[in-house]
Amino acid sequence: MKQVIRYILSAVLAMALIILIFVSIISSTILNEKYVLSKLDETGYYANIYKDVQSNFENYIYQSGLDESVLENIVSEEKIKEDTKSIISHIYNGVGEEITGDEIKEKLNSNIDESLKNVKLNSSQKTAIETFVNTITKEYTNTILHFGIEKDVNSIYHKIFSFVELVKKAILVLVAVCAIMLVLITLKRVYRIFTFSAMSCLATGTFLIVVNLFTNAKINVQAISILNDAMSGTLRNIVSEILQSIMNYGIVLLVVGIITIILANLLHNIKKYKKAYKHSEEE
């Protein structure tokens, strides 16, 4: 019965470790604002969004009949960075500068007035220009992924974050309970504590490595595409890093498990031979 309980505790410990590793990875990556911001910098997200913005603006300028000069200096990479950080701050913290596009409208209208200062416009032309300005502003906010749903996303984020933190605490308690029970059950044979703990590490490590290999076999991470090229590149980088973290954890636990089993059995055999040698001397 004790042996069965040991195997059950070892299995529960392995499952607990797997869940703990996954929630830890999630907490330190996609649920971490600083991590996401660092990935945006690392992947050149702002520069790529700036190129997309400029390209989209040019598509509309050709249709409007206005001079390309009206688009000069209405947006910069620095502004995109500031607005993106505000969006992310709204998502993670529920606070941030409100993005209205008024600054772009003001600069664009100023450039258009300068370009058409000697041209007398009729009402239909004025309406067309107003439509163009609104379209450019909307195109900008869409390109930087400002859809006005940050508040809703923030609410969902906090629910997920709270759940993950709760799971993490529960798993830590479960790991501690399993470890204590394992120690109590195998107190007379200490080496078995290490053996069954090592089995949990082996099972966890093997599972994580299989998850990594299976995911990479089924999903072409470098082909992931979502919303735009800039976001796709950042997402691919994050997914690759998460999968690499899973693999790293798997390898470390597998190695630790193997070494612990070898050392535990080695210590057990040394102790066993010492007893046998002592018994033979007494005889």
Side-chain angles (χ1 to χ4, degrees):
M1 181 59 70
K2 284 185 178 182
Q3 189 75 347
V4 172
I5 293 173
R6 290 189 195 104
Y7 280 113
I8 291 173
L9 288 173
S10 182
V12 172
L13 189 58
M15 288 187 286
L17 285 173
I18 290 168
I19 296 172
L20 183 61
I21 287 169
F22 276 114
V23 296
S24 296
I25 290 174
I26 292 171
S27 295
S28 62
T29 55
I30 57 177
L31 293 182
N32 187 308
E33 181 184 3
K34 289 183 179 178
Y35 173 83
V36 172
L37 289 173
S38 71
K39 290 292 112 180
L40 294 179
D41 277 320
E42 186 181 312
T43 57
Y45 176 83
Y46 308 113
N48 290 328
I49 286 292
Y50 179 72
K51 291 177 183 177
D52 288 344
V53 167
Q54 291 295 94
S55 177
N56 293 340
F57 283 179
E58 288 172 3
N59 292 334
Y60 286 104
I61 195 68
Y62 296 138
Q63 299 171 20
S64 71
L66 293 168
D67 191 270
E68 289 184 33
S69 61
V70 301
L71 297 177
E72 291 180 0
N73 302 319
I74 66 170
V75 68
S76 65
E77 189 176 322
E78 187 59 34
K79 176 171 175 54
I80 290 171
K81 187 173 184 177
E82 290 175 2
D83 287 347
T84 301
K85 285 185 174 182
S86 291
I87 293 169
I88 292 174
S89 181
H90 271 294
I91 291 172
Y92 284 90
N93 307 310
V95 295
E97 292 292 329
E98 189 64 31
I99 300 171
T100 61
D102 290 342
E103 185 181 340
I104 290 177
K105 277 187 179 181
E106 185 180 337
K107 288 182 179 180
L108 183 55
N109 279 319
S110 177
N111 287 351
I112 291 173
D113 290 342
E114 181 65 26
S115 177
L116 301 176
K117 61 183 178 180
N118 296 321
V119 178
K120 190 174 181 180
L121 302 174
N122 57 40
S123 58
S124 62
Q125 289 173 323
K126 289 179 181 179
T127 301
I129 289 174
E130 185 179 348
T131 301
F132 169 73
V133 172
N134 290 333
T135 301
I136 288 293
T137 304
K138 186 177 180 181
E139 185 62 34
Y140 171 74
T141 55
N142 285 344
T143 305
I144 65 169
L145 308 180
H146 173 59
F147 302 119
I149 59 171
E150 288 85 358
K151 187 176 180 180
D152 296 328
V153 177
N154 174 256
S155 178
I156 295 170
Y157 163 76
H158 277 291
K159 288 178 182 177
I160 294 173
F161 183 82
S162 298
F163 176 74
V164 167
E165 288 300 305
L166 181 63
V167 169
K168 192 186 294 185
K169 291 176 182 178
I171 291 299
L172 286 172
V173 171
L174 182 61
V175 169
V177 170
C178 286
I180 292 170
M181 289 181 69
L182 202 56
V183 169
L184 293 175
I185 292 173
T186 56
L187 199 56
K188 292 182 179 179
R189 296 183 179 181
V190 179
Y191 79 95
R192 285 190 175 181
I193 298 174
F194 295 102
T195 301
F196 281 96
S197 298
M199 286 172 59
S200 297
C201 289
L202 277 173
T204 303
T206 303
F207 178 82
L208 294 175
I209 291 172
V210 170
V211 166
N212 176 279
L213 295 175
F214 179 80
T215 304
N216 280 308
K218 293 295 181 180
I219 300 174
N220 184 0
V221 175
Q222 297 309 313
I224 292 176
S225 181
I226 181 173
L227 298 174
N228 54 49
D229 290 341
M231 178 55 71
S232 297
T234 302
L235 182 60
R236 286 194 290 267
N237 186 283
I238 291 173
V239 172
S240 295
E241 193 163 289
I242 288 174
L243 288 174
Q244 188 57 52
S245 294
I246 291 172
M247 176 61 85
N248 292 343
Y249 274 114
I251 292 172
V252 169
L253 286 170
L254 193 66
V255 171
V256 168
I258 292 171
I259 292 174
T260 304
I261 285 177
I262 293 172
L263 290 176
N265 281 281
L266 184 63
L267 290 172
H268 171 63
N269 288 330
I270 290 173
K271 187 177 180 181
K272 182 180 177 181
Y273 289 131
K274 278 185 177 179
K275 283 185 178 180
Y277 178 75
K278 186 178 180 181
H279 182 69
S280 62
E281 279 189 337
E282 289 175 354
E283 289 180 347

